[in-house]
Each structure stands twice: as structure tokens, then as C-alpha cells.
Amino acid sequence: LVACFVGEGARGVPLSGHVGFDSMPDQLVNKSVNHGFCFNILCVGETGLGKSTLMDTLFNTKFEGEPTQHNQPGVQLKSNTYELQESNVRLKLTVVNTVGFGDQINKEDSYKSIVEFIDTQFEAYLQEELKIKRTLHSYHDTRIHACLYFIAPTGHSLKSLDLVTMKKLDSKVNIIPIIAKSDAISKSELTKFKIKITSELVSNGVQIYQFPTDDETVAEINSTMNGHLPFAVVGSTEEVKIGNKMVRARQYPWGTVQVENENHCDFVKLREMLIRVNMEDLREQTHTRHYELYRRCKLEEMGFKDTDPDSKPFSLQETYEAKRNEFMGELQKKEEEMRQMFVQRVKEKEAELKEAEKELHEKFDRLKKLHQDEKKKLEDKKKSLDDELNGFKQKKTAAELLQAQTQQAGSSATLKKDKERKK
Amino acid sequence: MEELEKDLHLDKALTVIWSEIHCLHDDIENLEGYVGFANLPNQVYRKSVKRGFEFTLMVVGESGLGKSTLINSLFLTDLYSKDYPGPSQRIKKTVQVEQSKVLIKEGGVQLTLTIVDTPGFGDAVDNSNCWQPVINYIDSKFEDFLNAESRVNRRQMPDNRVHCCLYFIAPSGHGLKPLDIEFMKRLHDKVNVIPLIAKADTLTPEECQLFKKQIMKEIQEHKIKIYEFPDTEDDEDSKLIRKIKEKMPLAVVGSNVVIEVNGRKVRGRQYPWGVAEVENGEHCDFTVLRNMLIRTHMQDLKDVTNNVHYENYRSKKLAAVTCNGVDATKNKGQLTKSPLAQMEEERREHVMKMKKMETEMEQVFEMKVKEKKQKLKDSEAELERRHEQMKKNLEAQYKELEEKRHQFEEEKANWETQQRILEQQKLDASKTMEKNKKKGKIF
């Protein structure tokens, strides 16, 4: 979508005939029709408030039975896409339902998966938009264009879950609050209920979608309808015979609630506003307001910012490059840090091991010394034994010598004696 | 030519019917089962009228080819008048690029029309690079748009990109000039080029036919991509489109002067031999050009500019940025990612790389430590073993020594005992001798 600076810096000139550019809107419309349209509705509300039935009634078809795609993006959000056609207009409709909303005991985080889902669709579009080779004109837009918030028909006031959830969603999506199963409320109660709801929304600063009043062709009807919000709706796919026509209605013993009877409920108003008059505006608001807000926040989060408008014009390349260099620098720094850490560890471990080695050597030096001492002792002992041995040997030898001498002397003496005797 | 006119009248009638259908809306709404999203086109219509439209048309050609006159004829206005003289009135030394912006209204529809003129184009003696200022202009508009689109705070973006370039070919009757070929080749990737034969009233119909054939042949030879009409499913439309294609390039005549011919007031050029009528299909293709450019394909020209030419520029520009400092071969597959996603991926890749590096370093570290510890253990064991051995050795020696001593002691004891016995014997013997001596047994 490109908005137009009509007439800025341009001078008006009169035309002297029919040029033919008044066909431009038709040219544009023809292209859109050929391309097909797409619309995504999110239904938020507690189980049993008739969300699916209302969708069936609004689009006059039985949805659950004939989807063309099943997407399950979140834990609690179920989305289905349908291809519808009416005369020559093709519509790719996606209906997202919150499953299990409000069923938990602790509902503090209930809104989170809804916000996450909406953000995911924005993110997908943003990623596509930022790609180098992109195909935006054939991109299937999954961003939520309208959020129907189903309020339980208590007749009193909004539940705190409703206020909390709507407050979290109002800057992300166009919220259209509706009173579900409103055939449970009487007309007088309904008026009071609507007033109470509206004042609670205002006092809590919840921004709901306002039907636009800037275009004269629809300003009147839109502003009237704005006064009827929130719409009290009844949905039904069953038909009852009223007079000689079959109409969609709910039959009670005390009467029949006709869905398309404006005295019975605001269904027709909802259909008129949502589909017939403001569908295009809902898409436009989603793109130019909610999506832009998301995009701006996301880019700022990543550190992008516009340069001063007075200085030289913003250059995308330079920002990307600067971001990239910063980013690469960070990565390199991290790498260096890790390396340094390892070098440090290695050093420490080396010192440790060296210590251990030193200790080991010291231990063995001591042992060696001990061993040396022992050896010395042994040597000494050996020496003393050897000395003793030598001494003994000497003694022995001397004694033996003496003995031998003595024997010799004795024997020679004996010989002499014998000789003498023999004389 | 007449058929074309009939078709146009049909067009007008359909327009009327279409507005009547708007009025039938209420009746249709009451049809049962009618959801109402068929009203979407009306909503789009309404919003587009409120927004207004923009269109930028560039005209390129040598001076004197009637560019300004043609613009005035196309838009039935004096875009270039006494107060705002056209560039043809000014003498330029170098090629300039000038723009004039006007706001025109018709049938409730507002159009901001920008005409970009290129005075001096092809007028010099040496015309090398005379297309450069034109390319620079187109690129600068793309750049403005890209920058506006890339801002964090985006506001409504004016679309000043050039949606169409009418290239005026001099009616020489022979063929394209080298300058024509060069210019179109350089610009066909940047803008929708529609070649026109200017001042077609100097060519006879036969000469014109031949000239057109020659030009189209040369355009094909040089692989010049001129603006092509989009395919359409509608049979009526495709017939029309085929007819237009056969007439390309369109031969046009423009005029600021209204002349009376047979009671009709027409725009035309008065000659002694007659009046060449601008809007006469048999005289020239002006009506075809006008219908195609303004009444039927203006939106398509904008869409092609946005979806094809601008995207080409953008992807080239952004690819250049992200290629900086990164291996070029790595980038081939990354053109389909947005720079943010690319950075995210690089971040993830880097985290993985760091993890891998970390585990590798850890492994090497552990391994080395294990090695060293093992070595220490081994040497400790070795030393222990040696120590044990030495100890054993020593112990053995001790034992030996002990035994030796023991032996020695025993021996000594024996010997001493022996000696003692001997001593005793000796003593006894000497005692006996003494005794015997004493007894006189001694001689």
C-alpha cells in the first residue's frame, strides 16, 4: 500500500476535455479483484460463547467441516483458512479461534499466547519485507485484521480477564467487542450492560476499533454504528419457518429469536460494519497502524534508529553495515575472550603439573638420599666385617703357623727322644 | 481503427452501468444468503478515490520532436504554457532532468501528475553518456523510496518513482539510431520503456509500416525489453491487446491547436493539403497511446515499476551491502533472507562455531593434561620400581652380609672352640710333661 501526497508542490491545471484517468480507481479495483482478497479474523472468548456458530452465521457457511488448510500455530490458537467466492470476488478467509481461553484456574497468562500469535504474524510479514529478494505482492498476509472479542452475557460488567486481555491487545489489533449469546439478556438489561461495558472500557483506557468517519460516503452510518457498540449478537445456522420464509433463528418455547431481525439482536449491524462497509479499512488500519507499531518497536529493539532528519538522509545501507560491523566485532570479541580464557587455563594447569613434577622429583631425591645412606651403612658394615674377617684370618694363620712350628718342634723333640732311646 | 473507437464507446457505457450497479446494491443486499464481501471492491474504490493517485511520466528524445506538444495533447491541458515554458524553449548545454508537477481532477478522481523532461538529450555533438543523468534521476527516486521504506519511523511515502518512459524516435524512416539503441538498452531494466515514433505526420502509412517493422526487428535483435502488456484472461481484452501489439511502436502526432474540420472541433495540424487529426485513428496512433497509457494500463505501469523495476534496484542495492566483508560465494543462497534474519543466522552459526571451538579446545586440553598426567604417573612408577629394586638389592646384600657374618661368627666360634681345646690339650700336655719331668723320667 502506498499512500499518496495528493497535490503537494503541484499546481492545479484545468483540463479542456475528457482525458480518461478517472478510470484509475476501476483499474485498481480490477487488479485487486483479479488478485483476490484476504481477510483474517481472530475470535477471542471463553469456551461455549458461540464463536464458531457466529462465524458460520456471518459467512453463511459451515466452516468446521470444509477447511482447505489447517494451521496450528500456537498451543491454544487454532486457525483455519477457507476460500470463499461471492459473484466475482474471491476471498481467502482465515478464522482463528482461541481454544481453552478462560478455562484455566490461573488465567494470568491467558493473553500471552494470543499476543504471541499476533506478533508471529507481524514478524513473518516483517521478515518477508526485509528480505533482499522478496515477493510482497504475492505474499499470503496472515496478519489479524479484526479481533472479535466475545463478552459473556452476564448482564453485569466485564470480567477482569476481559479487561486485562483487551488492554494487552488494543495496540496490536482492531478490537470489536461483542456481547455473545445476547438472547439471554432482556432489552432493558442490555442497554444498561452496554453502557457499563463502554464506560469500563473507557475508564481502563482500552482502545477499541472505531468505524471510520473521515469518508463522507460512510461517515454517517459509521458514526451511528459506533454508538451501538458493543454489538449484541446471536448466531444460528438452523432455520425456522416464519410466515412463509425460512429464516435463521433460535426457537424457544416462548418465542423465536431471529438472527437477522434488527429488533432481536445486532447481528445485521455487525455484518454490515465488519464485512460490507469497513473490511478494507480494517485491513488498512492493521497495516498502517498496528503493523507499523510492531515494526518500529522491533527495529528499535534491534538497535536501528533513524538518523537526525536534519542531517543527511537516512541511509539503509550504512545502518545495516554499521550494525553488521558492530555485530561482527562483538562476535570476534567473544571469540578472543574464549581463547584467552583457554590460554589462562592452560597456563594454570601447566604450573600445576610442573609443581607435581617437582614434588615427585623431590620425593625421589629424598628416597635416593635415603638409599645412599643405607648403602653407605651397608658398605661400612661390610667393611667392618671384612676387617674382622681379615683380622680373624690373620689370627688364624698366625695361630696355625705357631701350631705348625710347635708341632715341628715337638716332633723333632720326639725324634730326638726316640733317637736317644734307641741308643 | 474504427473498431477501437467502438470498443472505447463500449467502455464508456460499461462505466455507466457499473455505477448503476452500485445503486442496485441495496436490492442485492436483501438477497438471502448474501454475506456481503462482494462489496470489497467498492470499499477499495472508495478508499482509492479518497487517497488520490500519482503518476510520473518521463519523456526522452532529441529537441524538436514534439514532446511537450504530445504531453499537452495527452492530458488536454497546457502543462507547458507561457507561464511555465517547456524545456524546449530553453537551450541547454548539457542534459538536464527537470520535473513539473501538476494536479488534475476528473470525475471526482485526483491525479498528481509529474512530467519528467530531459532537455538537451541527444542534442550535443558528442552524446556519449547522455543517458547517465537520466539513469541517475531514476536511481535517485528509487533510492528515496528505499530510504523512506527503510526508516524505523515510516510515514506516508510519496511515490515519485518514474512509472513510464516515453522514448521519442525521430521519424527518419530508416531505423533506430545508435543512440536510440544504447539508451533503451541501458534503461529497459530500470523503467517501463514505451518507444514512440514522433511527428508521424511526416510519414506516409506505408513508410510508417516499414519503419515500425524495422524498429521492432532491431529492438528484438538487441534484446531490448520494452513495456509489455500483461496477459489477461478476458477474451475481449486479449483481442484488444493483440491489436495494440501489432501497432508497436506507436506513431504519434501532437497538437495544441484546435481546428474545425467538417463542423467538428478537433486537435490537429493544419497543412495546405489538409488537416492531420491527432485523435483520428487513421492518421496516427495517438488515441491508442492515450487509452493504453491513461485509461487502461496506468495502474499496471505503476505495478510493474513497483514489483519489478524497484525490486530489482532494491535487491541489487541490499545485496551489495550484505556482501561487504563476507565471502561472496557464501552469499549466493542468502538473497532470499532479510538482513535481520541473516544476522540472526550468523549469530546462531557463530554460537555453534564457538561451542565447537570450545569443545575442541576442551578436548585438546583434556587430552594434553591426561598425557602429561600419564607421563608423570609413568615416571613415578618407574622411579618407584627402581627404588624398589634398589631396596631389594640392598636387602639382598644385607642378607648376604648377615649370612656371611653368621658364617664367620660360626667359623670363628668353632675355631675359637678348637683353639681352646688345643690350648687345653697343650696345657694338659705341658702339665703332664712337667709332671714327668718332675718324676725323673727326663734323661
Side-chain angles (χ1 to χ4, degrees), chain B residues 37-57:
Chain B
F37 61 82
N39 202 29
L40 255 178
N42 288 344
Q43 298 179 32
V44 173
Y45 188 100
R46 186 173 26 96
K47 278 194 174 279
S48 71
V49 169
K50 185 152 196 302
R51 235 191 341 258
F53 296 88
E54 303 169 295
F55 194 73
T56 301
L57 179 66

PDB file of all heavy atoms in Angstrom, chain B residues 37-57:
ATOM      1  N   PHE B  37     -19.190  -9.700   1.220  1.00  0.00           N
ATOM      2  CA  PHE B  37     -17.814  -9.295   0.949  1.00  0.00           C
ATOM      3  C   PHE B  37     -17.600  -8.996  -0.533  1.00  0.00           C
ATOM      4  O   PHE B  37     -16.547  -8.531  -0.928  1.00  0.00           O
ATOM      5  CB  PHE B  37     -16.793 -10.302   1.482  1.00  0.00           C
ATOM      6  CG  PHE B  37     -16.885 -11.682   0.886  1.00  0.00           C
ATOM      7  CD1 PHE B  37     -16.295 -11.960  -0.335  1.00  0.00           C
ATOM      8  CD2 PHE B  37     -17.525 -12.693   1.567  1.00  0.00           C
ATOM      9  CE1 PHE B  37     -16.363 -13.236  -0.870  1.00  0.00           C
ATOM     10  CE2 PHE B  37     -17.598 -13.959   1.039  1.00  0.00           C
ATOM     11  CZ  PHE B  37     -17.017 -14.233  -0.190  1.00  0.00           C
ATOM     12  N   ALA B  38     -18.623  -9.266  -1.323  1.00  0.00           N
ATOM     13  CA  ALA B  38     -18.534  -8.848  -2.727  1.00  0.00           C
ATOM     14  C   ALA B  38     -18.499  -7.339  -2.821  1.00  0.00           C
ATOM     15  O   ALA B  38     -18.245  -6.777  -3.883  1.00  0.00           O
ATOM     16  CB  ALA B  38     -19.718  -9.394  -3.504  1.00  0.00           C
ATOM     17  N   ASN B  39     -18.760  -6.690  -1.701  1.00  0.00           N
ATOM     18  CA  ASN B  39     -18.707  -5.239  -1.666  1.00  0.00           C
ATOM     19  C   ASN B  39     -17.295  -4.714  -1.452  1.00  0.00           C
ATOM     20  O   ASN B  39     -17.059  -3.517  -1.484  1.00  0.00           O
ATOM     21  CB  ASN B  39     -19.607  -4.750  -0.528  1.00  0.00           C
ATOM     22  CG  ASN B  39     -20.039  -3.307  -0.734  1.00  0.00           C
ATOM     23  OD1 ASN B  39     -20.147  -2.850  -1.855  1.00  0.00           O
ATOM     24  ND2 ASN B  39     -20.264  -2.601   0.353  1.00  0.00           N
ATOM     25  N   LEU B  40     -16.367  -5.623  -1.237  1.00  0.00           N
ATOM     26  CA  LEU B  40     -14.982  -5.213  -1.008  1.00  0.00           C
ATOM     27  C   LEU B  40     -14.445  -4.321  -2.120  1.00  0.00           C
ATOM     28  O   LEU B  40     -13.827  -3.295  -1.838  1.00  0.00           O
ATOM     29  CB  LEU B  40     -14.076  -6.448  -0.854  1.00  0.00           C
ATOM     30  CG  LEU B  40     -13.617  -6.782   0.561  1.00  0.00           C
ATOM     31  CD1 LEU B  40     -12.782  -8.032   0.561  1.00  0.00           C
ATOM     32  CD2 LEU B  40     -12.821  -5.633   1.160  1.00  0.00           C
ATOM     33  N   PRO B  41     -14.645  -4.686  -3.381  1.00  0.00           N
ATOM     34  CA  PRO B  41     -14.138  -3.822  -4.453  1.00  0.00           C
ATOM     35  C   PRO B  41     -14.650  -2.391  -4.315  1.00  0.00           C
ATOM     36  O   PRO B  41     -13.899  -1.449  -4.554  1.00  0.00           O
ATOM     37  CB  PRO B  41     -14.671  -4.482  -5.727  1.00  0.00           C
ATOM     38  CG  PRO B  41     -14.844  -5.905  -5.357  1.00  0.00           C
ATOM     39  CD  PRO B  41     -15.246  -5.906  -3.933  1.00  0.00           C
ATOM     40  N   ASN B  42     -15.886  -2.219  -3.917  1.00  0.00           N
ATOM     41  CA  ASN B  42     -16.410  -0.860  -3.731  1.00  0.00           C
ATOM     42  C   ASN B  42     -15.670  -0.129  -2.627  1.00  0.00           C
ATOM     43  O   ASN B  42     -15.402   1.060  -2.722  1.00  0.00           O
ATOM     44  CB  ASN B  42     -17.887  -0.897  -3.377  1.00  0.00           C
ATOM     45  CG  ASN B  42     -18.729  -1.292  -4.564  1.00  0.00           C
ATOM     46  OD1 ASN B  42     -18.261  -1.251  -5.705  1.00  0.00           O
ATOM     47  ND2 ASN B  42     -19.959  -1.693  -4.314  1.00  0.00           N
ATOM     48  N   GLN B  43     -15.377  -0.874  -1.569  1.00  0.00           N
ATOM     49  CA  GLN B  43     -14.639  -0.254  -0.469  1.00  0.00           C
ATOM     50  C   GLN B  43     -13.261   0.183  -0.950  1.00  0.00           C
ATOM     51  O   GLN B  43     -12.789   1.278  -0.619  1.00  0.00           O
ATOM     52  CB  GLN B  43     -14.493  -1.239   0.695  1.00  0.00           C
ATOM     53  CG  GLN B  43     -15.817  -1.683   1.292  1.00  0.00           C
ATOM     54  CD  GLN B  43     -15.638  -2.685   2.419  1.00  0.00           C
ATOM     55  OE1 GLN B  43     -14.650  -2.639   3.138  1.00  0.00           O
ATOM     56  NE2 GLN B  43     -16.593  -3.585   2.570  1.00  0.00           N
ATOM     57  N   VAL B  44     -12.635  -0.683  -1.747  1.00  0.00           N
ATOM     58  CA  VAL B  44     -11.318  -0.339  -2.293  1.00  0.00           C
ATOM     59  C   VAL B  44     -11.438   0.884  -3.194  1.00  0.00           C
ATOM     60  O   VAL B  44     -10.626   1.808  -3.131  1.00  0.00           O
ATOM     61  CB  VAL B  44     -10.735  -1.539  -3.072  1.00  0.00           C
ATOM     62  CG1 VAL B  44      -9.454  -1.153  -3.779  1.00  0.00           C
ATOM     63  CG2 VAL B  44     -10.490  -2.713  -2.148  1.00  0.00           C
ATOM     64  N   TYR B  45     -12.455   0.887  -4.013  1.00  0.00           N
ATOM     65  CA  TYR B  45     -12.712   2.012  -4.924  1.00  0.00           C
ATOM     66  C   TYR B  45     -12.827   3.317  -4.142  1.00  0.00           C
ATOM     67  O   TYR B  45     -12.138   4.303  -4.409  1.00  0.00           O
ATOM     68  CB  TYR B  45     -14.018   1.738  -5.681  1.00  0.00           C
ATOM     69  CG  TYR B  45     -14.320   2.714  -6.792  1.00  0.00           C
ATOM     70  CD1 TYR B  45     -14.057   2.381  -8.111  1.00  0.00           C
ATOM     71  CD2 TYR B  45     -14.884   3.967  -6.531  1.00  0.00           C
ATOM     72  CE1 TYR B  45     -14.353   3.262  -9.146  1.00  0.00           C
ATOM     73  CE2 TYR B  45     -15.168   4.851  -7.544  1.00  0.00           C
ATOM     74  CZ  TYR B  45     -14.907   4.489  -8.853  1.00  0.00           C
ATOM     75  OH  TYR B  45     -15.182   5.363  -9.863  1.00  0.00           O
ATOM     76  N   ARG B  46     -13.667   3.263  -3.140  1.00  0.00           N
ATOM     77  CA  ARG B  46     -13.939   4.446  -2.327  1.00  0.00           C
ATOM     78  C   ARG B  46     -12.648   4.978  -1.701  1.00  0.00           C
ATOM     79  O   ARG B  46     -12.342   6.163  -1.745  1.00  0.00           O
ATOM     80  CB  ARG B  46     -14.947   4.040  -1.236  1.00  0.00           C
ATOM     81  CG  ARG B  46     -15.435   5.182  -0.413  1.00  0.00           C
ATOM     82  CD  ARG B  46     -16.571   4.807   0.552  1.00  0.00           C
ATOM     83  NE  ARG B  46     -16.681   3.442   0.997  1.00  0.00           N
ATOM     84  CZ  ARG B  46     -16.204   2.966   2.128  1.00  0.00           C
ATOM     85  NH1 ARG B  46     -15.496   3.754   2.916  1.00  0.00           N
ATOM     86  NH2 ARG B  46     -16.412   1.704   2.470  1.00  0.00           N
ATOM     87  N   LYS B  47     -11.880   4.066  -1.110  1.00  0.00           N
ATOM     88  CA  LYS B  47     -10.662   4.496  -0.439  1.00  0.00           C
ATOM     89  C   LYS B  47      -9.631   5.044  -1.425  1.00  0.00           C
ATOM     90  O   LYS B  47      -8.923   5.991  -1.129  1.00  0.00           O
ATOM     91  CB  LYS B  47     -10.050   3.325   0.335  1.00  0.00           C
ATOM     92  CG  LYS B  47     -10.720   3.160   1.667  1.00  0.00           C
ATOM     93  CD  LYS B  47      -9.935   2.263   2.589  1.00  0.00           C
ATOM     94  CE  LYS B  47     -10.583   2.240   3.965  1.00  0.00           C
ATOM     95  NZ  LYS B  47     -10.205   3.401   4.769  1.00  0.00           N
ATOM     96  N   SER B  48      -9.568   4.452  -2.614  1.00  0.00           N
ATOM     97  CA  SER B  48      -8.562   4.912  -3.573  1.00  0.00           C
ATOM     98  C   SER B  48      -8.907   6.303  -4.076  1.00  0.00           C
ATOM     99  O   SER B  48      -8.013   7.125  -4.279  1.00  0.00           O
ATOM    100  CB  SER B  48      -8.444   3.930  -4.736  1.00  0.00           C
ATOM    101  OG  SER B  48      -9.590   4.006  -5.552  1.00  0.00           O
ATOM    102  N   VAL B  49     -10.186   6.566  -4.237  1.00  0.00           N
ATOM    103  CA  VAL B  49     -10.595   7.908  -4.674  1.00  0.00           C
ATOM    104  C   VAL B  49     -10.243   8.921  -3.605  1.00  0.00           C
ATOM    105  O   VAL B  49      -9.731  10.006  -3.885  1.00  0.00           O
ATOM    106  CB  VAL B  49     -12.110   7.950  -4.978  1.00  0.00           C
ATOM    107  CG1 VAL B  49     -12.586   9.379  -5.157  1.00  0.00           C
ATOM    108  CG2 VAL B  49     -12.433   7.123  -6.205  1.00  0.00           C
ATOM    109  N   LYS B  50     -10.458   8.535  -2.351  1.00  0.00           N
ATOM    110  CA  LYS B  50     -10.157   9.459  -1.260  1.00  0.00           C
ATOM    111  C   LYS B  50      -8.661   9.752  -1.205  1.00  0.00           C
ATOM    112  O   LYS B  50      -8.233  10.856  -0.951  1.00  0.00           O
ATOM    113  CB  LYS B  50     -10.613   8.820   0.050  1.00  0.00           C
ATOM    114  CG  LYS B  50     -10.459   9.740   1.231  1.00  0.00           C
ATOM    115  CD  LYS B  50     -11.480   9.421   2.311  1.00  0.00           C
ATOM    116  CE  LYS B  50     -11.573  10.570   3.288  1.00  0.00           C
ATOM    117  NZ  LYS B  50     -10.286  10.858   3.910  1.00  0.00           N
ATOM    118  N   ARG B  51      -7.857   8.691  -1.434  1.00  0.00           N
ATOM    119  CA  ARG B  51      -6.405   8.838  -1.355  1.00  0.00           C
ATOM    120  C   ARG B  51      -5.868   9.668  -2.502  1.00  0.00           C
ATOM    121  O   ARG B  51      -4.917  10.414  -2.350  1.00  0.00           O
ATOM    122  CB  ARG B  51      -5.770   7.439  -1.422  1.00  0.00           C
ATOM    123  CG  ARG B  51      -4.864   7.106  -0.281  1.00  0.00           C
ATOM    124  CD  ARG B  51      -4.060   5.838  -0.497  1.00  0.00           C
ATOM    125  NE  ARG B  51      -4.531   4.924  -1.494  1.00  0.00           N
ATOM    126  CZ  ARG B  51      -5.192   3.799  -1.205  1.00  0.00           C
ATOM    127  NH1 ARG B  51      -5.464   3.494   0.032  1.00  0.00           N
ATOM    128  NH2 ARG B  51      -5.566   2.998  -2.188  1.00  0.00           N
ATOM    129  N   GLY B  52      -6.461   9.508  -3.665  1.00  0.00           N
ATOM    130  CA  GLY B  52      -5.931  10.181  -4.841  1.00  0.00           C
ATOM    131  C   GLY B  52      -4.842   9.342  -5.481  1.00  0.00           C
ATOM    132  O   GLY B  52      -4.377   8.370  -4.905  1.00  0.00           O
ATOM    133  N   PHE B  53      -4.454   9.727  -6.667  1.00  0.00           N
ATOM    134  CA  PHE B  53      -3.473   8.940  -7.419  1.00  0.00           C
ATOM    135  C   PHE B  53      -2.255   9.773  -7.787  1.00  0.00           C
ATOM    136  O   PHE B  53      -2.305  11.000  -7.811  1.00  0.00           O
ATOM    137  CB  PHE B  53      -4.123   8.381  -8.695  1.00  0.00           C
ATOM    138  CG  PHE B  53      -5.229   7.418  -8.421  1.00  0.00           C
ATOM    139  CD1 PHE B  53      -6.535   7.893  -8.238  1.00  0.00           C
ATOM    140  CD2 PHE B  53      -4.992   6.067  -8.313  1.00  0.00           C
ATOM    141  CE1 PHE B  53      -7.570   7.008  -7.964  1.00  0.00           C
ATOM    142  CE2 PHE B  53      -6.032   5.181  -8.049  1.00  0.00           C
ATOM    143  CZ  PHE B  53      -7.318   5.650  -7.865  1.00  0.00           C
ATOM    144  N   GLU B  54      -1.156   9.049  -8.066  1.00  0.00           N
ATOM    145  CA  GLU B  54       0.069   9.723  -8.519  1.00  0.00           C
ATOM    146  C   GLU B  54       0.573   9.012  -9.753  1.00  0.00           C
ATOM    147  O   GLU B  54       0.401   7.808  -9.873  1.00  0.00           O
ATOM    148  CB  GLU B  54       1.188   9.586  -7.486  1.00  0.00           C
ATOM    149  CG  GLU B  54       0.899  10.098  -6.122  1.00  0.00           C
ATOM    150  CD  GLU B  54       1.972   9.647  -5.149  1.00  0.00           C
ATOM    151  OE1 GLU B  54       2.093   8.429  -4.914  1.00  0.00           O
ATOM    152  OE2 GLU B  54       2.673  10.523  -4.635  1.00  0.00           O
ATOM    153  N   PHE B  55       1.226   9.749 -10.610  1.00  0.00           N
ATOM    154  CA  PHE B  55       1.851   9.116 -11.763  1.00  0.00           C
ATOM    155  C   PHE B  55       3.006   9.986 -12.236  1.00  0.00           C
ATOM    156  O   PHE B  55       2.876  11.211 -12.307  1.00  0.00           O
ATOM    157  CB  PHE B  55       0.831   8.941 -12.899  1.00  0.00           C
ATOM    158  CG  PHE B  55       1.303   8.021 -13.979  1.00  0.00           C
ATOM    159  CD1 PHE B  55       1.357   6.654 -13.763  1.00  0.00           C
ATOM    160  CD2 PHE B  55       1.715   8.517 -15.214  1.00  0.00           C
ATOM    161  CE1 PHE B  55       1.790   5.788 -14.762  1.00  0.00           C
ATOM    162  CE2 PHE B  55       2.160   7.653 -16.217  1.00  0.00           C
ATOM    163  CZ  PHE B  55       2.200   6.286 -15.992  1.00  0.00           C
ATOM    164  N   THR B  56       4.126   9.337 -12.527  1.00  0.00           N
ATOM    165  CA  THR B  56       5.287  10.074 -13.030  1.00  0.00           C
ATOM    166  C   THR B  56       5.626   9.575 -14.422  1.00  0.00           C
ATOM    167  O   THR B  56       5.880   8.387 -14.617  1.00  0.00           O
ATOM    168  CB  THR B  56       6.503   9.884 -12.099  1.00  0.00           C
ATOM    169  OG1 THR B  56       6.172  10.332 -10.800  1.00  0.00           O
ATOM    170  CG2 THR B  56       7.693  10.671 -12.616  1.00  0.00           C
ATOM    171  N   LEU B  57       5.616  10.475 -15.356  1.00  0.00           N
ATOM    172  CA  LEU B  57       5.860  10.126 -16.752  1.00  0.00           C
ATOM    173  C   LEU B  57       7.110  10.847 -17.235  1.00  0.00           C
ATOM    174  O   LEU B  57       7.253  12.050 -17.058  1.00  0.00           O
ATOM    175  CB  LEU B  57       4.656  10.545 -17.604  1.00  0.00           C
ATOM    176  CG  LEU B  57       4.715  10.281 -19.108  1.00  0.00           C
ATOM    177  CD1 LEU B  57       4.729   8.784 -19.369  1.00  0.00           C
ATOM    178  CD2 LEU B  57       3.498  10.902 -19.778  1.00  0.00           C
TER     179      LEU B  57
END
